[in-house]
Amino acid sequence: MISDFIFGRVLIIGDLLLDCYIHGSVDRISPEAPVPVLLRAKHSSVPGGAANVAMNAAALGCAVTLVGLVGEDGSAREFRRAVGREPGIDLGHLVEDPDWVTITKTRVLSGRQQIVRIDEEPSVLVPPPVQERLIAASLAAMDQADVMICSDYAKGVLSNEVLQAIIQAANQRGIPVVVDPKRRDLSVYKGAQLITPNRKELAAATGLPVNSDTEIHFAALAAQEQFGGDVLVTRSEEGMTLLERNGRMTHAHVPQSEVFDVSGAGDTVVATVAAMMSAGADLRTAMVIATNAAAIVVGKLGTATVSRAELSAALKSKIDRDGVIATLPEAQGIIEAWRRHGARVVFTNGCFDLLHPGHIALIHAAAREGDKLIVALNSDASVRRLKGAERPLQDERARATVMGALRDVDLVVIFDEDTPLETICALRPDVVVKGADYTEDQVVGGEEVKSWGGRVVLADLVSGRSTTSIVRKMKAGPPATTSPEPVSLKPE
C-alpha cells in the first residue's frame, strides 16, 4: 500500500497564503443592519496556497522544501508558526520583503457554514529585484529535489520570468515539474511535465466546453498544444481525467464521500501526484491515489491535509474483496487496478489437491509479504502430467473454490502448463513465494520477477505434511489398533 512507497524530496515554489478561521455561532440578526451576529468562539490559522501543498506532501511522508514570498508582518510570523506544526518542511529558502503584505484569507464560520471571507493581499506586482531573489532561492533549493511543484495562485510570485527560469533549470537537472495552474495562457508552463487544472481552469485556458468526457478530451488536447506536457483534469465529483502525451486517456472515478469543504482539495491532488512521482510511480497510479486523497480531504472542514495512514487505510478498504477465481486476462485487469491503488502483489502456486496445515502455513507466509495474494493452481491436466493418472483427487474448480475461500487469498487463477512461468510473466508480481524445500535459483519465474525489481521469498515448511503422504496413508488404510479400554460414563 501507500506505506510501502519511499518518497523523495519535493520542492514547492509558489504563492504562500495564511488561511485564518473565525468560528462561532449565530443566534440573532443585528438590529443595525440585516446581517447575522456571530458570537466568536475561537480563531485558528493554517498554511494555504503553496504552503498547503507543502503540508499535504509532508503529511504523506515527503521531505519538502518550500520557496515563496512573505512580508515582515504579524501574518508572516503566524505563517511560520503554522507551517512549523508539520515536521519535514524546510523554510530556509523563504524570501522576505518589507514591502510585501503576507497574503491572508480569513473565513468566518457559524458551525460548518461559511458566512463571509475577508482577503488581505498586496496591491502591487512583485518587483524585479524580488523576482531575482525568488529565482536564486529556487535554484539553491533545487539540487536536492526529486520533483518540483509550481503552485500558481496568480498572486504574483510565479511571474513569467520566474517560471521560465525555474522550469528551465529543473529541465537541465532532469527534475520533473508539476504545475497547478491559474493562468489563461498555458504556454507559460512550457517545459513542465504535467499540469493539473480543474474543469473551470481548463475551460478558461482553452475557451472550450468541458461538460462531458468528449469535451474534456478535446479541451485537454488544446491545453497540450499550448504547453506540450501531460494534462490531469480534476473534475470534482466526476473524478479525474489524465491525457498523456502519447495520446492515452484514463479516467479515475472518485470514491463516495461526504463533502464538507472543497477548499484546498486541488492542493491535496497536486501534492499526492508529486509524492507518487518522487517514489517512481507512473502517472496513472498517481492519479488513482490522488483521487482517493481528494475524497478524504473534502470531508474535512477548512484547509486540511491527508495523512499517510489515512490514505493507506482508504486505499486498502477500496481494494479489499473476497477471494475470486479469474481467468488470466481478468486477473491482469484486477492486478492493474490494485497497483493503481499502491498494492504490492504476491504470487504463489501449486496443485493444492488436499489442503493441509503445510499449505495453510505457506499461504499465511505468502500473505505477509505484501498486500494482495494471488494463488495459481495447476489445472487438472497439468496435475495429471505431474502427479500421475490418479491425481488430482479434487477437480480444478473444487480446488479453486476452497482456495478462494481462504481469508489470505485475494485471487485464484488456473494454469494449464507444467510450470507457472507464463502466468508469472503475464501478471508480473512483486514477490513470488515458494517453500523452503526449493533454493532461490530453482524457483520458476524467480529470475524474471527479480528482473523487474521484485524478489523471491522461501517460506518455512511444516514438517511431515504433504498431499502425497496423506494419499499414501489413505491407501494403506487405518493402522492396526488394540482393543480399546472401557470408557467410564461417570461424570468427571
Side-chain angles (χ1 to χ4, degrees):
M1 299 307 299
I2 192 80
S3 57
D4 298 318
F5 285 98
I6 300 174
F7 296 130
R9 177 169 288 277
V10 178
L11 170 61
I12 300 167
I13 306 167
D15 298 296
L16 305 180
L17 283 67
L18 182 67
D19 285 327
C20 299
Y21 296 87
I22 298 174
H23 299 267
S25 60
V26 173
D27 297 316
R28 62 194 178 94
I29 300 297
S30 171
E32 302 166 1
V35 295
V37 176
L38 181 88
L39 181 61
R40 175 171 167 155
K42 65 176 182 177
H43 175 278
S44 61
S45 300
V46 295
N52 186 43
V53 180
M55 297 290 281
N56 273 274
L60 290 173
C62 296
V64 177
T65 303
L66 183 60
V67 177
L69 179 60
V70 294
E72 295 180 358
D73 48 26
S75 294
R77 291 187 289 274
E78 178 59 30
F79 174 86
R80 289 180 180 276
R81 283 194 295 269
V83 176
R85 298 182 193 120
E86 180 65 60
I89 300 178
D90 177 9
L91 296 179
H93 297 275
L94 291 188
V95 174
E96 288 189 356
D97 183 68
D99 297 323
W100 187 258
V101 176
T102 302
I103 301 170
T104 304
K105 296 182 179 181
T106 302
R107 297 170 176 88
V108 180
L109 300 99
S110 174
R112 290 184 175 271
Q113 178 63 50
Q114 188 175 144
I115 299 172
V116 67
R117 194 182 85 184
I118 306 164
D119 289 1
E120 183 179 7
E121 57 186 66
S123 57
V124 296
L125 298 176
V126 179
V130 179
Q131 291 183 36
E132 291 298 325
R133 291 173 61 196
L134 286 165
I135 292 170
S138 301
L139 298 184
M142 204 173 286
D143 289 337
Q144 303 299 318
D146 297 294
V147 178
M148 184 173 84
I149 297 173
C150 296
S151 180
D152 191 353
Y153 270 70
K155 301 298 183 184
V157 166
L158 291 175
S159 65
N160 291 0
E161 293 76 15
V162 171
L163 279 168
Q164 183 179 4
I166 63 177
I167 292 176
Q168 182 179 4
N171 289 340
Q172 290 171 348
R173 292 165 170 80
I175 300 170
V177 180
V178 181
V179 177
D180 189 6
K182 292 291 185 290
R183 303 287 196 91
R184 289 179 177 270
D185 178 12
L186 299 178
S187 65
V188 297
Y189 305 123
K190 274 186 178 177
Q193 177 179 342
L194 176 72
I195 61 171
T196 62
N198 61 32
R199 187 158 39 191
K200 181 179 178 181
E201 291 161 352
L202 182 64
T206 63
L208 295 173
V210 289
N211 299 312
S212 67
D213 290 349
T214 300
E215 290 177 350
I216 290 283
H217 186 195
F218 283 115
L221 283 171
Q224 277 187 335
E225 290 176 3
Q226 290 188 44
F227 92 104
D230 302 310
V231 180
L232 175 62
V233 186
T234 58
R235 302 171 59 183
S236 190
E237 71 280 355
E238 294 179 8
M240 299 184 199
T241 296
L242 173 66
L243 180 64
E244 298 175 79
R245 277 168 284 191
N246 60 13
R248 179 170 179 173
M249 192 169 185
T250 311
H251 300 283
H253 297 289
V254 66
Q256 290 286 337
S257 60
E258 188 171 5
V259 178
F260 286 121
D261 196 338
V262 297
S263 59
D267 297 336
T268 300
V269 169
V270 71
T272 306
V273 168
M276 297 304 301
M277 290 171 65
S278 79
D282 61 77
L283 285 179
R284 293 185 297 280
T285 298
M287 174 181 64
V288 171
I289 292 179
T291 303
N292 284 268
I296 296 170
V297 81
V298 296
K300 301 182 178 184
L301 185 63
T303 306
T305 63
V306 177
S307 72
R308 192 182 183 110
E310 284 178 304
L311 183 53
S312 188
L315 291 167
K316 185 176 187 305
S317 174
K318 187 170 174 59
I319 66 172
D320 274 348
R321 57 185 293 167
D322 294 332
V324 62
I325 306 166
T327 64
L328 189 57
E330 289 171 340
Q332 288 175 302
I334 292 168
I335 291 167
E336 183 176 358
W338 287 346
R339 285 207 170 95
R340 295 286 174 263
H341 290 81
R344 184 174 49 179
V345 178
V346 183
F347 178 99
T348 192
N349 69 279
C351 299
F352 297 107
D353 200 355
L354 291 176
L355 277 181
H356 54 67
H359 290 148
I360 300 301
L362 174 66
I363 296 300
H364 281 335
R368 288 194 295 269
E369 297 298 327
D371 304 300
K372 307 299 283 186
L373 174 61
I374 306 166
V375 177
L377 295 177
N378 295 74
S379 69
D380 291 348
S382 177
V383 175
R384 282 192 290 271
R385 291 194 299 271
L386 295 173
K387 303 291 185 178
E390 295 182 354
R391 300 280 295 277
L393 302 177
Q394 301 183 91
D395 65 39
E396 59 194 41
R397 196 70 188 179
R399 290 182 285 124
T401 300
V402 172
M403 182 60 69
L406 297 180
R407 179 180 300 175
D408 287 328
V409 177
D410 299 289
L411 195 64
V412 178
V413 294
I414 298 171
F415 64 94
D416 199 45
E417 298 75 28
D418 289 346
T419 76
L421 181 59
E422 291 184 25
T423 303
I424 290 171
C425 291
L427 301 181
R428 296 176 66 88
D430 302 294
V431 185
V432 64
V433 178
K434 289 296 286 184
D437 51 341
Y438 288 80
T439 59
E440 190 167 310
D441 62 302
Q442 293 174 326
V443 175
V444 172
E447 290 304 313
E448 287 76 10
V449 170
K450 288 189 284 187
S451 74
W452 56 68
R455 58 193 178 89
V456 175
V457 173
L458 302 179
D460 292 336
L461 298 175
V462 176
S463 177
R465 298 287 185 176
S466 75
T467 303
T468 301
S469 65
I470 293 172
V471 171
R472 190 180 298 119
K473 290 178 182 178
M474 290 170 61
K475 289 181 176 179
T481 59
T482 57
S483 298
E485 296 181 4
V487 179
S488 172
L489 298 181
K490 294 180 181 179
E492 296 293 334

